[in-house]
Each structure stands twice: as structure tokens, then as C-alpha cells.
Amino acid sequence: MEPWQQQDHATAPAYDPVGWEPNNIIAALRGLGVLKNGEQPRVLHQHACPFPKNPMARCSCTGGPEIQWPDHDELTPIRNYQIPKRFAATV
């Protein structure tokens, strides 16, 4: 290897600010004490987005990834809510 071919510094990995933005927001809110202990918000990406499987890839979600917050009485967000029968509208 020639001396001009040697690299003294490591090449920084690709960084996608759009893909990591929700994680940065969650970390900031956790640092401020907005999130309760044990609450785990979820970050959702579109089906074909390569970012969740490969953090070096660029996020291709339309409008960016989505943060799903826990409700006031749950630790992790529930995707589909069930309406109890006693509250269901009767026709």
C-alpha cells in the first residue's frame, strides 16, 4: 500500500437525520422527565422503508417516521383499541 493510500482517520458512517430524529426527540423528552418510568413510545416506518433493518440506509417514509405515544394509563402504545360493549353505541 502506498503512503498516500493510507487513511489515518476512520470514515464516519452515513447518518440519516430523518430516520434518527424520532429517537432523538424521545431521548430529549425522557431527559426532561416528560415520559414516565417504563413508558416506551414506538417509532413506526412505512413497510418498504429500509431504515429499520439497516440504520445506514436513508429513511424513505413519506412525511418521515411516526412516533406513537403511550396513552395516559399504558406503558406501551396499543395499535388497535377495542371498544367495550357497554360503551358501544346501540342502534
Side-chain angles (χ1 to χ4, degrees):
M1 180 178 275
E2 298 294 325
W4 56 270
Q5 290 177 323
Q6 295 176 359
Q7 291 183 348
D8 294 335
H9 54 70
T11 305
Y15 178 75
D16 182 24
V18 174
W20 290 105
E21 182 181 13
N23 294 337
N24 297 338
I25 292 170
I26 292 168
L29 290 175
R30 199 172 296 286
L32 290 172
V34 174
L35 295 174
K36 294 183 284 191
N37 290 337
E39 281 186 340
Q40 296 294 326
R42 294 183 180 166
V43 179
L44 305 177
H45 291 269
Q46 290 178 342
H47 177 68
C49 181
F51 181 78
K53 295 177 187 78
N54 181 8
M56 300 297 183
R58 185 155 181 82
C59 178
S60 64
C61 296
T62 305
E66 175 187 355
I67 301 174
Q68 195 176 41
W69 302 101
D71 203 2
H72 66 90
D73 61 346
E74 61 189 11
L75 295 179
T76 56
I78 299 172
R79 188 73 171 147
N80 298 315
Y81 290 98
Q82 297 293 329
I83 299 174
K85 285 188 176 184
R86 65 178 182 265
F87 297 122
T90 56
V91 179

Coordinates of all heavy atoms in Angstrom, one line a residue:
M1 N 0.8 -1.2 0.0 CA 0.0 0.0 0.0 C 0.9 1.2 0.0 O 1.9 1.3 0.7 CB -0.9 0.0 1.2 CG -1.8 1.2 1.3 SD -2.9 1.1 2.7 CE -4.2 0.2 2.1
E2 N 0.6 2.2 -0.8 CA 1.3 3.4 -0.9 C 1.0 4.3 0.2 O -0.1 4.3 0.8 CB 1.0 4.1 -2.2 CG 1.4 3.3 -3.5 CD 2.9 3.2 -3.6 OE1 3.6 4.1 -3.2 OE2 3.3 2.1 -4.1
P3 N 1.9 5.2 0.7 CA 1.6 6.1 1.8 C 0.4 7.0 1.5 O -0.3 7.4 2.5 CB 2.9 6.9 1.9 CG 4.0 6.1 1.2 CD 3.3 5.3 0.2
W4 N 0.2 7.4 0.3 CA -0.9 8.3 0.0 C -2.2 7.6 0.1 O -3.3 8.2 0.1 CB -0.7 9.0 -1.3 CG -0.5 8.1 -2.5 CD1 0.6 7.6 -3.0 CD2 -1.6 7.5 -3.3 NE1 0.4 6.8 -4.0 CE2 -0.9 6.7 -4.2 CE3 -3.0 7.6 -3.3 CZ2 -1.7 6.0 -5.2 CZ3 -3.7 6.9 -4.3 CH2 -3.0 6.1 -5.2
Q5 N -2.2 6.2 0.1 CA -3.4 5.5 0.1 C -3.9 5.2 1.6 O -5.0 4.7 1.8 CB -3.3 4.1 -0.6 CG -3.2 4.3 -2.1 CD -2.9 3.0 -2.8 OE1 -2.2 2.1 -2.2 NE2 -3.5 2.8 -3.9
Q6 N -3.0 5.4 2.6 CA -3.4 5.1 3.9 C -4.3 6.2 4.5 O -4.1 7.4 4.2 CB -2.2 5.0 4.8 CG -1.3 3.9 4.4 CD 0.0 3.9 5.3 OE1 0.2 4.7 6.1 NE2 0.8 2.9 5.0
Q7 N -5.3 5.8 5.2 CA -6.2 6.8 5.8 C -6.0 6.7 7.3 O -6.1 5.6 8.0 CB -7.7 6.4 5.5 CG -8.0 6.6 4.1 CD -9.5 6.4 3.8 OE1 -10.2 5.8 4.7 NE2 -10.0 6.8 2.7
D8 N -5.7 7.8 7.9 CA -5.4 7.9 9.4 C -6.7 8.0 10.2 O -6.8 7.6 11.3 CB -4.5 9.1 9.7 CG -3.1 8.9 9.1 OD1 -2.7 7.7 8.9 OD2 -2.4 9.9 8.9
H9 N -7.7 8.5 9.6 CA -9.0 8.7 10.3 C -10.0 7.7 9.7 O -10.0 7.3 8.6 CB -9.5 10.1 10.1 CG -9.7 10.6 8.7 ND1 -10.6 10.0 7.9 CD2 -9.0 11.4 8.0 CE1 -10.5 10.6 6.7 NE2 -9.5 11.5 6.7
A10 N -10.9 7.3 10.6 CA -12.0 6.4 10.2 C -13.1 7.2 9.5 O -13.4 8.3 9.9 CB -12.5 5.7 11.5
T11 N -13.6 6.6 8.5 CA -14.7 7.3 7.8 C -16.0 7.2 8.6 O -16.3 6.1 9.1 CB -14.9 6.6 6.4 OG1 -13.7 6.6 5.7 CG2 -16.0 7.3 5.6
A12 N -16.6 8.3 8.8 CA -17.8 8.4 9.6 C -18.9 7.6 8.9 O -19.1 7.7 7.6 CB -18.2 9.8 9.8
P13 N -19.7 6.8 9.6 CA -20.8 6.1 8.9 C -21.9 7.1 8.4 O -22.0 8.3 8.9 CB -21.4 5.2 10.0 CG -21.0 5.9 11.3 CD -19.7 6.6 11.0
A14 N -22.7 6.7 7.5 CA -23.7 7.5 6.9 C -24.7 7.8 8.1 O -25.0 6.9 8.8 CB -24.4 6.8 5.8
Y15 N -25.2 9.0 8.1 CA -26.1 9.4 9.2 C -27.3 10.0 8.5 O -27.2 11.0 7.8 CB -25.4 10.4 10.1 CG -26.4 10.9 11.2 CD1 -26.7 10.1 12.3 CD2 -26.9 12.1 11.2 CE1 -27.5 10.5 13.3 CE2 -27.7 12.6 12.2 CZ -28.0 11.8 13.3 OH -28.8 12.2 14.3
D16 N -28.5 9.4 8.8 CA -29.7 10.0 8.2 C -30.5 10.7 9.3 O -31.1 10.1 10.2 CB -30.6 8.8 7.7 CG -31.9 9.3 7.0 OD1 -31.9 10.5 6.6 OD2 -32.8 8.5 6.9
P17 N -30.5 12.0 9.3 CA -31.2 12.8 10.4 C -32.6 12.5 10.4 O -33.3 12.6 11.5 CB -30.8 14.3 10.0 CG -30.4 14.3 8.6 CD -29.9 12.9 8.3
V18 N -33.3 12.2 9.3 CA -34.7 12.0 9.3 C -35.1 10.7 10.0 O -36.0 10.6 10.8 CB -35.3 12.0 7.8 CG1 -36.7 11.6 7.8 CG2 -35.1 13.3 7.1
G19 N -34.3 9.7 9.8 CA -34.5 8.4 10.4 C -34.3 8.4 11.9 O -35.0 7.7 12.7
W20 N -33.3 9.1 12.4 CA -32.9 9.2 13.8 C -33.7 10.3 14.6 O -33.6 10.3 15.8 CB -31.4 9.3 14.0 CG -30.7 8.1 13.5 CD1 -29.9 8.0 12.4 CD2 -30.6 6.9 14.2 NE1 -29.4 6.7 12.3 CE2 -29.8 6.0 13.5 CE3 -31.1 6.4 15.4 CZ2 -29.5 4.7 13.8 CZ3 -30.8 5.1 15.8 CH2 -30.0 4.3 15.0
E21 N -34.4 11.2 13.9 CA -35.0 12.3 14.6 C -36.0 11.8 15.7 O -36.0 12.4 16.8 CB -35.7 13.2 13.6 CG -36.3 14.4 14.2 CD -37.0 15.3 13.2 OE1 -37.2 14.8 12.0 OE2 -37.4 16.4 13.5
P22 N -36.9 10.9 15.4 CA -37.8 10.5 16.5 C -37.1 9.9 17.7 O -37.5 10.2 18.8 CB -38.7 9.4 15.8 CG -38.6 9.6 14.4 CD -37.2 10.2 14.2
N23 N -36.0 9.2 17.5 CA -35.3 8.7 18.7 C -34.6 9.8 19.4 O -34.6 9.7 20.7 CB -34.2 7.7 18.2 CG -34.8 6.4 17.6 OD1 -35.9 6.1 17.9 ND2 -34.1 5.7 16.8
N24 N -34.2 10.8 18.7 CA -33.6 12.0 19.4 C -34.7 12.7 20.2 O -34.4 13.2 21.3 CB -32.9 12.9 18.4 CG -31.8 12.3 17.7 OD1 -31.2 11.3 18.2 ND2 -31.4 12.8 16.5
I25 N -35.9 12.9 19.7 CA -37.0 13.5 20.3 C -37.4 12.7 21.6 O -37.6 13.3 22.7 CB -38.2 13.7 19.4 CG1 -37.9 14.7 18.3 CG2 -39.4 14.1 20.1 CD1 -38.9 14.7 17.2
I26 N -37.5 11.4 21.5 CA -37.8 10.6 22.6 C -36.8 10.7 23.7 O -37.1 10.8 24.9 CB -38.0 9.1 22.2 CG1 -39.3 9.0 21.3 CG2 -38.1 8.2 23.4 CD1 -39.4 7.7 20.6
A27 N -35.5 10.7 23.3 CA -34.4 10.8 24.3 C -34.5 12.2 25.0 O -34.2 12.3 26.2 CB -33.1 10.6 23.6
A28 N -34.8 13.2 24.3 CA -34.9 14.6 24.9 C -36.0 14.7 25.8 O -35.9 15.2 26.9 CB -35.0 15.6 23.8
L29 N -37.2 14.1 25.5 CA -38.3 14.1 26.4 C -38.1 13.3 27.6 O -38.5 13.6 28.7 CB -39.6 13.6 25.6 CG -40.1 14.6 24.6 CD1 -41.3 13.9 23.8 CD2 -40.5 15.9 25.2
R30 N -37.4 12.2 27.4 CA -37.0 11.3 28.6 C -36.1 12.1 29.5 O -36.2 12.0 30.7 CB -36.4 10.0 28.1 CG -36.4 8.9 29.2 CD -36.0 7.6 28.6 NE -36.8 7.0 27.6 CZ -38.0 6.5 27.8 NH1 -38.5 6.5 29.0 NH2 -38.7 6.0 26.8
G31 N -35.1 12.8 28.9 CA -34.2 13.6 29.7 C -34.9 14.8 30.5 O -34.5 15.2 31.6
L32 N -36.0 15.3 29.9 CA -36.7 16.4 30.5 C -37.7 15.9 31.6 O -38.3 16.6 32.4 CB -37.5 17.2 29.5 CG -36.7 18.1 28.6 CD1 -37.5 18.6 27.5 CD2 -36.0 19.2 29.3
G33 N -37.9 14.6 31.6 CA -38.8 14.0 32.6 C -40.3 14.0 32.1 O -41.1 13.8 33.0
V34 N -40.5 14.2 30.8 CA -41.9 14.2 30.3 C -42.5 12.8 30.3 O -43.6 12.6 30.6 CB -41.9 14.9 28.9 CG1 -43.3 14.8 28.3 CG2 -41.5 16.3 29.0
L35 N -41.7 11.8 30.0 CA -42.1 10.4 29.9 C -42.0 9.8 31.3 O -41.0 10.0 32.0 CB -41.3 9.6 28.9 CG -41.5 10.1 27.4 CD1 -40.5 9.3 26.5 CD2 -42.9 9.9 27.0
K36 N -43.0 9.0 31.7 CA -42.9 8.3 33.0 C -42.0 7.1 32.9 O -41.6 6.7 31.8 CB -44.3 7.8 33.3 CG -45.3 8.9 33.6 CD -46.6 8.3 34.1 CE -47.4 7.8 32.9 NZ -48.7 7.4 33.1
N37 N -41.5 6.6 34.0 CA -40.7 5.5 34.1 C -41.4 4.3 33.4 O -42.6 4.0 33.8 CB -40.3 5.1 35.5 CG -39.3 6.1 36.0 OD1 -38.6 6.8 35.3 ND2 -39.2 6.2 37.3
G38 N -40.8 3.6 32.6 CA -41.3 2.4 31.9 C -42.1 2.7 30.6 O -42.5 1.7 29.9
E39 N -42.4 3.9 30.3 CA -43.1 4.2 29.1 C -42.2 4.0 27.9 O -41.1 4.5 27.9 CB -43.7 5.7 29.1 CG -44.9 5.9 29.9 CD -45.4 7.3 29.7 OE1 -44.7 8.2 29.3 OE2 -46.6 7.5 30.0
Q40 N -42.7 3.3 26.9 CA -41.9 3.0 25.7 C -42.6 3.5 24.5 O -43.4 2.7 23.9 CB -41.6 1.5 25.6 CG -40.8 1.0 26.8 CD -39.4 1.5 26.7 OE1 -38.8 1.8 25.7 NE2 -38.8 1.8 27.9
P41 N -42.4 4.7 24.0 CA -43.0 5.1 22.7 C -42.4 4.3 21.6 O -41.3 3.8 21.7 CB -42.6 6.6 22.6 CG -41.9 7.0 23.8 CD -41.6 5.8 24.6
R42 N -43.2 4.1 20.5 CA -42.7 3.3 19.4 C -42.6 4.2 18.2 O -43.3 5.2 18.0 CB -43.8 2.3 19.0 CG -43.9 1.2 20.1 CD -44.8 0.1 19.7 NE -44.9 -0.9 20.8 CZ -45.8 -1.8 20.9 NH1 -46.7 -1.9 20.0 NH2 -45.8 -2.6 21.9
V43 N -41.6 3.9 17.4 CA -41.3 4.6 16.1 C -41.7 3.7 15.0 O -41.2 2.6 14.9 CB -39.8 5.0 16.0 CG1 -39.6 5.8 14.7 CG2 -39.4 5.9 17.2
L44 N -42.6 4.2 14.1 CA -43.1 3.4 13.0 C -42.6 3.9 11.7 O -42.6 5.1 11.5 CB -44.7 3.4 13.0 CG -45.4 3.0 14.3 CD1 -46.9 3.2 14.2 CD2 -45.0 1.6 14.7
H45 N -42.2 3.0 10.8 CA -41.8 3.3 9.5 C -42.7 2.6 8.5 O -43.4 1.7 8.8 CB -40.4 2.8 9.2 CG -39.3 3.6 10.0 ND1 -38.7 4.7 9.5 CD2 -38.8 3.4 11.3 CE1 -37.9 5.2 10.4 NE2 -37.9 4.4 11.5
Q46 N -42.8 3.1 7.3 CA -43.6 2.5 6.2 C -43.0 1.1 5.9 O -41.9 0.8 6.2 CB -43.6 3.4 5.0 CG -44.3 4.6 5.1 CD -44.3 5.5 3.9 OE1 -43.4 5.3 3.0 NE2 -45.2 6.4 3.8
H47 N -43.8 0.3 5.3 CA -43.5 -1.1 5.0 C -42.2 -1.2 4.2 O -41.3 -2.0 4.5 CB -44.6 -1.8 4.3 CG -44.3 -3.2 3.9 ND1 -44.2 -4.2 4.8 CD2 -44.1 -3.8 2.7 CE1 -43.9 -5.3 4.2 NE2 -43.8 -5.1 2.9
A48 N -42.0 -0.4 3.2 CA -40.9 -0.5 2.3 C -39.6 0.3 2.7 O -38.6 0.3 2.0 CB -41.3 -0.2 0.9
C49 N -39.7 0.9 3.9 CA -38.6 1.8 4.3 C -37.4 0.9 4.7 O -37.6 0.0 5.6 CB -39.0 2.7 5.5 SG -37.7 3.7 6.1
P50 N -36.2 1.1 4.2 CA -35.1 0.3 4.5 C -34.4 0.6 5.9 O -33.6 -0.1 6.4 CB -34.1 0.5 3.4 CG -34.4 1.9 2.9 CD -35.9 2.1 3.1
F51 N -34.8 1.8 6.5 CA -34.1 2.3 7.6 C -34.2 1.3 8.9 O -33.2 1.1 9.5 CB -34.6 3.7 8.0 CG -33.9 4.2 9.2 CD1 -32.7 4.8 9.1 CD2 -34.5 4.2 10.5 CE1 -32.0 5.3 10.2 CE2 -33.8 4.7 11.6 CZ -32.6 5.3 11.4
P52 N -35.3 0.8 9.2 CA -35.4 0.0 10.4 C -34.4 -1.3 10.4 O -33.8 -1.6 11.4 CB -36.8 -0.5 10.6 CG -37.6 0.4 9.7 CD -36.7 0.9 8.7
K53 N -34.3 -1.9 9.2 CA -33.4 -3.0 9.1 C -32.0 -2.7 8.9 O -31.1 -3.4 9.3 CB -33.9 -3.9 7.9 CG -35.3 -4.5 8.1 CD -35.7 -5.2 6.8 CE -37.2 -5.6 6.9 NZ -38.1 -4.6 6.7
N54 N -31.7 -1.5 8.3 CA -30.4 -1.0 8.0 C -30.2 0.4 8.5 O -30.6 1.3 7.7 CB -30.0 -1.2 6.5 CG -28.6 -0.8 6.2 OD1 -27.8 -0.5 7.1 ND2 -28.3 -0.7 4.9
P55 N -29.7 0.7 9.7 CA -29.6 2.0 10.1 C -28.7 3.0 9.3 O -28.7 4.2 9.4 CB -29.0 1.9 11.5 CG -29.1 0.5 11.9 CD -29.2 -0.3 10.6
M56 N -27.9 2.4 8.4 CA -27.0 3.2 7.5 C -27.8 3.6 6.3 O -27.4 4.5 5.5 CB -25.8 2.4 7.0 CG -24.9 2.0 8.2 SD -24.3 3.4 9.0 CE -23.2 2.6 10.2
A57 N -29.0 3.1 6.0 CA -29.8 3.4 4.9 C -30.6 4.7 5.1 O -30.7 5.2 6.3 CB -30.8 2.3 4.6
R58 N -31.1 5.3 4.1 CA -31.8 6.6 4.2 C -33.3 6.2 4.4 O -33.8 5.4 3.7 CB -31.6 7.4 3.0 CG -32.3 8.8 3.1 CD -31.6 9.8 2.2 NE -32.1 11.1 2.2 CZ -31.9 12.0 3.2 NH1 -31.0 11.6 4.1 NH2 -32.4 13.1 3.2
C59 N -34.0 6.9 5.3 CA -35.4 6.7 5.6 C -36.2 7.2 4.4 O -36.0 8.3 3.9 CB -35.8 7.5 6.9 SG -37.5 7.3 7.2
S60 N -37.1 6.4 3.9 CA -37.9 6.7 2.7 C -39.3 6.9 3.0 O -40.2 6.8 2.1 CB -37.7 5.7 1.6 OG -38.2 4.4 2.1
C61 N -39.7 7.1 4.3 CA -41.1 7.2 4.7 C -41.6 8.6 4.2 O -40.9 9.6 4.3 CB -41.2 7.2 6.2 SG -40.7 5.7 7.0
T62 N -42.8 8.5 3.6 CA -43.5 9.8 3.2 C -43.8 10.6 4.4 O -44.6 10.1 5.3 CB -44.7 9.4 2.4 OG1 -44.4 8.6 1.3 CG2 -45.4 10.7 1.8
G63 N -43.3 11.8 4.5 CA -43.5 12.6 5.7 C -42.7 12.3 6.9 O -42.8 12.9 8.0
G64 N -41.8 11.3 6.8 CA -40.9 10.9 7.9 C -41.6 9.8 8.8 O -42.8 9.5 8.7
P65 N -40.8 9.3 9.7 CA -41.3 8.2 10.6 C -42.3 8.8 11.6 O -42.4 10.0 11.8 CB -40.1 7.7 11.3 CG -39.0 8.7 11.1 CD -39.4 9.5 9.9
E66 N -43.1 7.9 12.1 CA -44.2 8.3 13.1 C -43.9 7.9 14.5 O -43.4 6.7 14.7 CB -45.5 7.7 12.6 CG -46.7 7.9 13.5 CD -47.9 7.1 13.1 OE1 -47.9 6.5 12.1 OE2 -48.9 7.2 13.9
I67 N -44.1 8.8 15.4 CA -43.9 8.4 16.8 C -45.3 8.1 17.4 O -46.2 8.9 17.3 CB -43.3 9.5 17.6 CG1 -41.9 9.9 17.1 CG2 -43.2 9.1 19.1 CD1 -41.3 11.1 17.8
Q68 N -45.4 6.9 18.0 CA -46.7 6.5 18.6 C -46.5 6.6 20.1 O -45.7 5.8 20.7 CB -47.1 5.1 18.2 CG -48.5 4.7 18.4 CD -48.8 3.4 17.9 OE1 -48.0 2.5 18.0 NE2 -50.0 3.2 17.3
W69 N -47.2 7.5 20.8 CA -47.1 7.7 22.2 C -48.0 6.8 23.0 O -49.1 6.5 22.6 CB -47.4 9.2 22.5 CG -46.6 10.1 21.8 CD1 -46.9 10.9 20.7 CD2 -45.2 10.5 22.1 NE1 -45.9 11.6 20.3 CE2 -44.8 11.4 21.1 CE3 -44.3 10.1 23.0 CZ2 -43.6 12.0 21.1 CZ3 -43.1 10.7 23.0 CH2 -42.7 11.6 22.1
P70 N -47.5 6.4 24.2 CA -48.4 5.6 25.1 C -49.6 6.5 25.6 O -49.4 7.7 25.7 CB -47.5 5.2 26.3 CG -46.1 5.6 25.9 CD -46.2 6.5 24.8
D71 N -50.7 5.9 25.9 CA -51.8 6.6 26.5 C -51.5 6.9 27.9 O -50.5 6.5 28.5 CB -53.1 5.8 26.3 CG -54.3 6.6 26.4 OD1 -54.2 7.8 26.5 OD2 -55.4 6.0 26.3
H72 N -52.3 7.6 28.6 CA -52.1 8.1 30.0 C -52.0 6.9 31.0 O -51.4 7.0 32.0 CB -53.1 9.0 30.5 CG -54.5 8.4 30.6 ND1 -54.9 7.8 31.7 CD2 -55.5 8.3 29.7 CE1 -56.2 7.4 31.6 NE2 -56.5 7.6 30.3
D73 N -52.5 5.7 30.6 CA -52.6 4.6 31.6 C -51.9 3.4 31.1 O -52.1 2.3 31.6 CB -54.0 4.3 32.0 CG -54.8 3.9 30.8 OD1 -54.4 4.1 29.7 OD2 -55.9 3.4 31.0
E74 N -51.1 3.5 30.0 CA -50.4 2.3 29.5 C -48.9 2.6 29.3 O -48.5 3.7 29.2 CB -51.0 1.9 28.1 CG -50.9 3.0 27.1 CD -51.7 2.6 25.8 OE1 -52.5 1.7 25.8 OE2 -51.5 3.3 24.8
L75 N -48.1 1.5 29.3 CA -46.7 1.7 29.2 C -46.2 1.7 27.8 O -45.2 2.3 27.4 CB -45.9 0.6 30.0 CG -46.2 0.7 31.5 CD1 -45.4 -0.4 32.3 CD2 -45.7 2.1 32.1
T76 N -46.9 0.8 26.9 CA -46.5 0.8 25.5 C -47.8 1.1 24.7 O -48.9 0.7 25.1 CB -46.0 -0.6 25.1 OG1 -46.9 -1.6 25.5 CG2 -44.6 -0.8 25.7
P77 N -47.7 1.8 23.6 CA -48.9 2.1 22.8 C -49.6 0.8 22.3 O -48.9 -0.1 21.9 CB -48.4 2.9 21.7 CG -47.0 3.1 21.8 CD -46.5 2.3 23.0
I78 N -50.9 0.8 22.3 CA -51.6 -0.3 21.7 C -52.1 0.1 20.3 O -52.7 1.2 20.2 CB -52.8 -0.7 22.6 CG1 -52.4 -1.1 24.0 CG2 -53.7 -1.8 22.0 CD1 -53.4 -1.3 25.0
R79 N -51.9 -0.7 19.3 CA -52.2 -0.3 18.0 C -53.7 -0.2 17.7 O -54.2 0.7 17.1 CB -51.5 -1.4 17.0 CG -51.6 -1.0 15.6 CD -50.7 0.1 15.3 NE -50.6 0.3 13.8 CZ -50.4 1.5 13.3 NH1 -50.2 2.5 14.0 NH2 -50.3 1.6 12.0
N80 N -54.4 -1.2 18.1 CA -55.9 -1.2 17.8 C -56.6 -1.3 19.1 O -56.5 -2.2 19.9 CB -56.3 -2.5 17.0 CG -55.6 -2.5 15.6 OD1 -55.6 -1.5 15.0 ND2 -55.0 -3.6 15.2
Y81 N -57.5 -0.3 19.3 CA -58.2 -0.2 20.5 C -59.6 -0.9 20.4 O -60.2 -0.8 19.3 CB -58.5 1.2 20.9 CG -57.3 2.0 21.4 CD1 -56.6 2.8 20.5 CD2 -56.8 1.8 22.7 CE1 -55.4 3.4 21.0 CE2 -55.7 2.5 23.1 CZ -55.0 3.3 22.3 OH -53.9 3.9 22.7
Q82 N -60.0 -1.6 21.4 CA -61.3 -2.3 21.4 C -62.2 -1.5 22.2 O -61.9 -1.2 23.3 CB -61.1 -3.7 22.0 CG -60.2 -4.6 21.2 CD -60.7 -5.0 19.8 OE1 -62.0 -5.1 19.6 NE2 -59.9 -5.2 18.8
I83 N -63.4 -1.2 21.7 CA -64.4 -0.5 22.5 C -65.2 -1.5 23.3 O -65.8 -2.5 22.7 CB -65.4 0.3 21.5 CG1 -64.6 1.3 20.7 CG2 -66.5 0.9 22.3 CD1 -65.4 2.0 19.7
P84 N -65.2 -1.4 24.6 CA -66.0 -2.3 25.4 C -67.5 -2.3 25.0 O -68.0 -1.2 24.6 CB -65.8 -1.8 26.8 CG -64.6 -1.0 26.8 CD -64.5 -0.4 25.4
K85 N -68.2 -3.4 25.1 CA -69.6 -3.5 24.7 C -70.5 -2.5 25.4 O -71.4 -2.0 24.9 CB -70.1 -4.9 24.8 CG -69.6 -5.8 23.8 CD -70.3 -7.2 23.9 CE -69.9 -8.1 22.8 NZ -70.6 -9.3 22.8
R86 N -70.1 -2.2 26.7 CA -71.0 -1.4 27.5 C -70.9 0.1 27.0 O -71.8 0.9 27.2 CB -70.6 -1.4 28.9 CG -69.3 -0.9 29.3 CD -69.0 -1.0 30.8 NE -67.7 -0.4 31.1 CZ -66.6 -1.1 31.3 NH1 -66.7 -2.5 31.1 NH2 -65.5 -0.6 31.6
F87 N -69.9 0.4 26.2 CA -69.7 1.8 25.7 C -70.1 1.8 24.2 O -70.1 2.9 23.6 CB -68.3 2.3 25.9 CG -67.9 2.4 27.3 CD1 -66.8 1.8 27.8 CD2 -68.7 3.2 28.2 CE1 -66.5 1.9 29.1 CE2 -68.3 3.4 29.5 CZ -67.2 2.7 30.0
A88 N -70.3 0.7 23.6 CA -70.6 0.7 22.1 C -72.0 1.3 21.9 O -73.0 1.0 22.7 CB -70.6 -0.7 21.6
A89 N -72.2 2.0 20.9 CA -73.5 2.6 20.6 C -74.5 1.5 20.2 O -74.2 0.6 19.4 CB -73.3 3.6 19.5
T90 N -75.6 1.6 20.8 CA -76.7 0.6 20.4 C -77.7 1.3 19.5 O -78.1 2.5 19.7 CB -77.4 0.2 21.7 OG1 -77.9 1.3 22.4 CG2 -76.5 -0.6 22.6
V91 N -78.0 0.6 18.5 CA -78.9 1.2 17.5 C -80.2 0.5 17.5 O -80.4 -0.6 17.7 CB -78.3 1.2 16.0 CG1 -79.3 1.7 15.0 CG2 -77.0 1.9 16.0

